[in-house]
Amino acid sequence: MAKVTDDTLTKVSTEAATELVNSFYPALKNDRNSIASFYLPTPTSILFNGNTVADGAAVQDIFLKQMPEAFYEVQSFDCQIINRAYPTTTAAGLKPASEMGVKDMSILVMTSGHVRYGENRDQPPRGFSETFVLVPNPSSERKRRRDWLIQSQNFRLVV
């Protein structure tokens, strides 16, 4: 297998961050039934303003049952590769290092912007900052499969 270049890894991580921003935030407003599909099915680390949330299904439940309509405006985002050789698994077990490709890495994604809760468009928007750790999706069986899943998330409203 040819050596993966830094440029290729940067391109793949940037595409992953862009895909997250362009699909996750619209889902929080328009497709709340799909929110759990953005998360790793195994236990994750999720914090909303310092409050621990169990997993992606719990995040989805919060947005379906407790959160008013939300309008997110992401003003900036950036990403950084955390681990170039993230230990991914296959049906046969842990993927050998010799078989790792460009999508076998973990990525830190940082976003910031404004959010407005509720239907009243006259309410002032609140600033937010959010970080995600994305990892490769271990499942290849799902329809509309996401290449990257959220392993960790930390959301903060900015005062």
Side-chain angles (χ1 to χ4, degrees), residues 62-118:
I62 289 168
F63 273 87
L64 285 171
K65 296 179 180 173
Q66 299 175 27
M67 295 290 289
E69 189 171 16
F71 301 90
Y72 286 87
E73 179 187 340
V74 175
Q75 294 182 320
S76 67
F77 69 94
D78 198 4
C79 64
Q80 177 71 42
I81 298 168
I82 299 173
N83 185 348
R84 294 171 183 251
Y86 183 80
T88 53
T89 57
T90 65
L94 197 59
K95 186 186 284 188
S98 61
E99 294 178 16
M100 289 192 164
V102 296
K103 291 189 177 179
D104 293 314
M105 63 178 153
S106 57
I107 305 164
L108 177 69
V109 179
M110 296 128 323
T111 65
S112 63
H114 291 96
V115 61
R116 188 177 62 248
Y117 296 107

Side-chain angles (χ1 to χ4, degrees), residues 61 64 78 143 150:
D61 192 55
L64 285 171
D78 198 4
K143 292 182 181 177
I150 299 168

Side-chain angles (χ1 to χ4, degrees), residues 2-157:
K3 185 175 187 294
V4 178
T5 66
D6 287 344
D7 286 346
T8 301
L9 293 173
T10 299
K11 181 179 185 234
V12 171
S13 64
T14 301
E15 289 170 353
T18 302
E19 174 62 26
L20 174 72
V21 168
N22 289 339
S23 59
F24 182 72
Y25 291 104
L28 295 177
K29 179 180 182 234
N30 299 318
D31 191 14
R32 290 181 169 188
N33 287 316
S34 73
I35 293 172
S37 71
F38 286 88
Y39 293 86
L40 201 61
T42 57
T44 55
S45 172
I46 303 169
L47 294 171
F48 281 99
N49 285 322
N51 298 305
T52 302
V53 180
D55 55 19
V59 173
Q60 180 172 305
D61 192 55
I62 289 168
F63 273 87
L64 285 171
K65 296 179 180 173
Q66 299 175 27
M67 295 290 289
E69 189 171 16
F71 301 90
Y72 286 87
E73 179 187 340
V74 175
Q75 294 182 320
S76 67
F77 69 94
D78 198 4
C79 64
Q80 177 71 42
I81 298 168
I82 299 173
N83 185 348
R84 294 171 183 251
Y86 183 80
T88 53
T89 57
T90 65
L94 197 59
K95 186 186 284 188
S98 61
E99 294 178 16
M100 289 192 164
V102 296
K103 291 189 177 179
D104 293 314
M105 63 178 153
S106 57
I107 305 164
L108 177 69
V109 179
M110 296 128 323
T111 65
S112 63
H114 291 96
V115 61
R116 188 177 62 248
Y117 296 107
E119 294 179 16
N120 184 352
R121 293 187 183 261
D122 295 332
Q123 285 186 334
R126 304 257 331 250
F128 77 89
S129 174
E130 192 158 26
T131 57
F132 301 91
V133 173
L134 302 180
V135 297
N137 186 345
S139 171
S140 60
E141 301 168 9
R142 296 190 329 214
K143 292 182 181 177
R144 296 182 59 209
R145 178 180 177 267
R146 298 185 192 287
D147 288 336
W148 302 95
L149 297 175
I150 299 168
Q151 179 188 49
S152 178
Q153 176 182 12
N154 189 343
F155 175 87
R156 285 282 185 185
L157 284 171

